[in-house]
Amino acid sequence: MNVRNCRSCGCIFNYVTGPVTCPACREKLEKKFQEVKEYIRENKGVGIPAVAEACEVDAGQIRQWLREERLELSEDSAVFLTCENCGQPIRSGRFCEKCTLNMTKGFQEVLNSGRQTTSKPEKHEGESARMRFLK
């Protein structure tokens, strides 16, 4: 059992996966997220500072939701995120489409090269694919 202290309230809880927050704090954060989402729906084009102030949420938390792709900036927004690889402006997530595609290709190449280097065991003369017993 993996027991940890919640980063938000300090309460001890059984940690399984994800952020190191207790279920109660996670639920409160999810309610705040829903509140922020609803506020953005009602007030299109509003900026991060205005949302943070109106919903009483840290601006850093809003940026985290943008990085997690739970929220997305509008195309006409003056605020934007930057790709962590090349610095291009993006609307949500961590990487732009070009960098994501390049990373995906790189991962595929690594996976494929690993498969090609795996060699089949050598067969000795007289061996067959049949089962045999050792004496």
Side-chain angles (χ1 to χ4, degrees), residues 37-56:
K37 198 166 91 171
E38 190 61 35
Y39 182 82
I40 292 170
R41 247 188 224 132
E42 292 171 0
N43 302 286
K44 295 193 185 301
V46 69
I48 293 174
V51 174
E53 186 179 324
C55 297
E56 298 176 0

Side-chain angles (χ1 to χ4, degrees), residues 110-123:
V110 169
L111 285 173
N112 291 337
S113 69
R115 289 184 188 141
Q116 292 171 355
T117 59
T118 307
S119 61
K120 293 182 181 178
E122 293 180 25
K123 281 195 171 187

Side-chain angles (χ1 to χ4, degrees), residues 25-36 65:
C25 288
R26 228 177 289 142
E27 188 176 319
K28 286 179 191 174
L29 192 60
E30 185 60 29
K31 285 181 181 176
K32 277 291 180 187
F33 173 73
Q34 294 302 327
E35 183 182 327
V36 166
W65 288 328

